[in-house]
């Protein structure tokens, strides 16, 4: 919150990417012929990337203007468009086969280099999230070091390891070099919803099942890293779970603490059938899951819904980072001010300030002096956000305004 009583709003969840052919200059020359052949045959399956608003992904000036009109002064930038050699956006693409790995890795490296330039076009306003693949851990570590040097301050996007991917699960010690370099460099590890679901087929129910299951598959990264001991071995590691909701967190932490206590206790009773499930667990993971959450974890709470706000103290005020999900149609644009009123009216101003900007500034290294100066002109006022919203905008598309959103608890 700045000196003029306006909130400094940082979206911890926005998306961007280059237009397809604009990735070509960022590819190593040896991949140009393969890219030309792939791009000529590629048919984009995503309507929003073919519509008039698609350029919001890469038009830096338009993007800054629309975010400022919405009261937002900075953003954490996740991927959105199709990188070279991918069948779809990288968030939703399945893990590559060995034959696909080289080309897809080249495509992600091109995106990362484009993103570094895109962030540099708006100094201090964008924290770009570097993409990696987990098929080759040494290559991933090298790319993370490159990204830190290139000032991609949003950290690294952790891919999922869905069933059938052929990759070790995230609790595996084989990923320890990734956790180690991220802790060493102070690089947050971001895990975004949608990136860990297995393929569900083409039956009519598949989309509905995906909606029911996708956040659960994304939540798995939390208990994999906790029970795998990543935070014990690397106490400086930060995990961010983005666009997965936040109301689930208190209950899941209670559940994980229960299993931790139960299995550790059972391991001391060698004659019980359950003892083998807890063998070595205390030594491997250390503190209970709720302590790992307190010390190492955060939530990118995209357009935090009204029913989630009363849980903020159980989640941790310092853990919550609001996000707009721009430019997606389920995001809050162009009604971010109304969304903030809908969720945060009646919440103490210092708590709102932390959740809508201060926490993200601290984790991702934004300069608040720089951003406060911008927010002094464009940020929503404290008085504005404190005013309850009587009716949502008639043409709003974000689920934050959905009827009954204040009643649901999952």
């Amino acid at each position: 919150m700045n000196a003029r009583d306006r909130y400094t709003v940082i979206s911890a969840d926005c998306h961007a990417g280059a237009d397809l052919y604009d990735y070509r200059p960022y590819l190593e020359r040896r991949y140009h012929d393969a890219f030309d052949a792939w791009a000529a045959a590629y048919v984009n399956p995503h309507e929003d990337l073919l519509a008039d608003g698609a350029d919001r992904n890469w038009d830096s000036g338009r993007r800054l203007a629309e975010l400022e009109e919405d009261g937002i002064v900075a953003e954490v930038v996740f991927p959105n468009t199709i990188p070279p050699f991918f069948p779809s956006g990288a968030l939703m693409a399945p893990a590559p086969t060995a034959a696909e790995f080289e080309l897809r890795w080249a495509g992600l490296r091109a995106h990362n280099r484009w993103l570094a330039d895109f962030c540099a076009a708006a100094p201090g306003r964008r924290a770009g999230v570097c993409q990696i693949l987990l098929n080759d851990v040494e290559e991933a570590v090298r790319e993370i070091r490159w990204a830190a040097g290139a000032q991609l301050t949003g950290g690294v996007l952790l891919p999922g390891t869905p069933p059938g991917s052929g990759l070790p699960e995230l609790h595996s010690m084989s990923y320890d070099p990734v956790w180690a370099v991220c802790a060493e460099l102070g690089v947050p590890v971001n895990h975004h919803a949608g990136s860990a679901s297995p393929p569900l087929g083409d039956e009519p129910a598949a989309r509905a099942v995906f909606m029911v299951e996708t956040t659960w598959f994304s939540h798995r990264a939390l208990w994999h890293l906790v029970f795998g001991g990543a935070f014990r071995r690397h106490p400086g590691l930060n995990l961010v779970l983005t666009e997965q909701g936040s109301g689930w967190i208190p209950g899941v932490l209670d559940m994980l603490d229960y299993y931790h206590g139960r299995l550790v206790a059972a391991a001391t009773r060698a004659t019980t059938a359950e003892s083998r499930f807890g063998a070595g667990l205390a030594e491997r993971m250390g503190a209970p899951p709720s302590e790992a959450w307190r010390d190492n974890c955060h939530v990118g709470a995209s357009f935090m819904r009204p029913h989630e706000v009363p849980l903020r103290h159980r989640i941790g005020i310092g853990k919550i980072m609001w996000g707009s999900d721009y430019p997606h149609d389920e995001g809050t644009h162009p009604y971010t001010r109304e969304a903030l009123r809908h969720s945060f009216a009646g919440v103490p101003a210092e708590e709102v300030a932390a959740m809508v900007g201060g926490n993200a500034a601290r984790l991702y290294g934004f300069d608040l002096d720089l951003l406060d100066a911008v927010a002094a002109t464009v940020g929503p006022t404290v008085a504005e956000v404190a005013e309850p919203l009587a009716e949502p905008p008639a043409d709003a598309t974000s689920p934050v305004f959905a009827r009954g959103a204040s009643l649901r608890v999952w």
Side-chain angles (χ1 to χ4, degrees), residues 132-146:
I132 60 170
L133 292 170
L134 295 175
N135 304 61
D136 187 323
V137 171
E138 290 184 3
E139 281 292 334
V141 168
R142 279 192 286 270
E143 189 69 1
I144 293 166
R145 289 194 179 278
W146 173 86

Side-chain angles (χ1 to χ4, degrees), residues 288-310:
S290 58
E291 293 185 28
W293 175 266
R294 180 196 66 199
D295 295 339
N296 301 93
C297 301
H298 315 262
V299 57
S302 302
F303 44 81
M304 197 173 187
R305 296 167 176 83
H307 74 268
E308 296 170 305
V309 175

Side-chain angles (χ1 to χ4, degrees), residues 83-390:
F85 309 117
F86 274 69
S88 64
L91 273 176
M92 308 296 290
T97 63
E100 294 167 332
F101 173 72
E102 180 184 355
L103 287 179
R104 290 210 196 166
W105 186 238
L108 288 194
R109 285 168 55 85
H111 172 83
N112 292 340
R113 282 142 187 79
W114 172 87
L115 183 60
D117 283 349
F118 187 69
C119 292
R125 307 286 294 275
R126 295 175 181 142
V129 179
C130 162
Q131 294 189 80
I132 60 170
L133 292 170
L134 295 175
N135 304 61
D136 187 323
V137 171
E138 290 184 3
E139 281 292 334
V141 168
R142 279 192 286 270
E143 189 69 1
I144 293 166
R145 289 194 179 278
W146 173 86
Q151 299 302 304
L152 285 177
T153 55
V156 62
L157 179 61
L158 177 65
T161 57
S165 69
L167 296 172
E169 294 282 6
L170 289 177
H171 59 68
S172 170
M173 290 281 288
S174 63
Y175 300 124
D176 233 40
V178 173
W179 317 142
V181 71
C182 289
E184 172 197 339
L185 299 175
V187 169
V189 174
N190 306 277
H191 192 55
H192 194 283
S195 61
S197 299
L200 294 170
D202 298 321
E203 294 295 323
R207 288 185 180 86
V209 172
F210 174 84
M211 289 296 292
V212 171
E213 295 181 347
T214 183
T215 52
W216 183 86
F217 275 108
S218 297
H219 299 345
R220 293 174 77 223
L222 172 62
W223 51 82
H224 277 239
L225 268 67
V226 166
F227 286 121
F231 301 118
R232 182 189 66 78
R233 295 188 301 277
H234 310 287
L237 182 65
N238 283 293
L239 174 68
V240 186
L241 301 171
T242 298
E243 202 175 331
Q244 303 177 28
S246 59
W248 58 276
I249 293 169
V252 165
L253 291 178
D254 288 346
M255 177 192 71
L256 297 180
D257 276 354
Y258 163 76
Y259 277 110
H260 172 265
R262 171 179 164 182
L263 294 176
V264 168
T268 66
R269 298 188 292 272
T271 58
T272 67
E274 197 171 63
S275 62
R276 64 189 179 91
F277 289 100
L281 185 63
E283 296 80 6
R284 180 78 175 266
M285 66 171 287
S290 58
E291 293 185 28
W293 175 266
R294 180 196 66 199
D295 295 339
N296 301 93
C297 301
H298 315 262
V299 57
S302 302
F303 44 81
M304 197 173 187
R305 296 167 176 83
H307 74 268
E308 296 170 305
V309 175
L311 298 171
R312 64 192 183 276
H313 293 288
R314 293 181 62 193
I315 297 166
I317 292 291
K319 300 290 164 183
I320 298 167
M321 302 181 293
W322 177 90
S324 73
D325 201 26
Y326 176 94
H328 292 164
D329 60 7
E330 67 267 28
T332 58
H333 178 267
Y335 298 115
T336 288
R337 298 171 189 274
E338 289 82 359
L340 294 176
R341 289 173 58 194
H342 189 50
S343 294
F344 295 117
V347 175
E350 64 274 13
E351 295 184 7
V352 177
M355 292 186 285
V356 304
N359 295 334
R362 182 175 64 254
L363 182 66
Y364 292 108
F366 286 103
D367 181 347
L368 277 177
D369 288 337
L370 169 70
L371 298 182
D372 285 350
V374 182
T377 302
V378 305
T381 67
V382 172
E384 176 186 4
V385 174
E387 183 69 25
L389 186 70

Side-chain angles (χ1 to χ4, degrees), residues 16-23 26 57-58 81-83 111 114:
D19 200 1
L20 188 63
Y21 282 94
D22 289 340
Y23 278 126
Y26 292 94
N57 285 283
W58 56 79
T81 62
I82 312 300
H111 172 83
W114 172 87

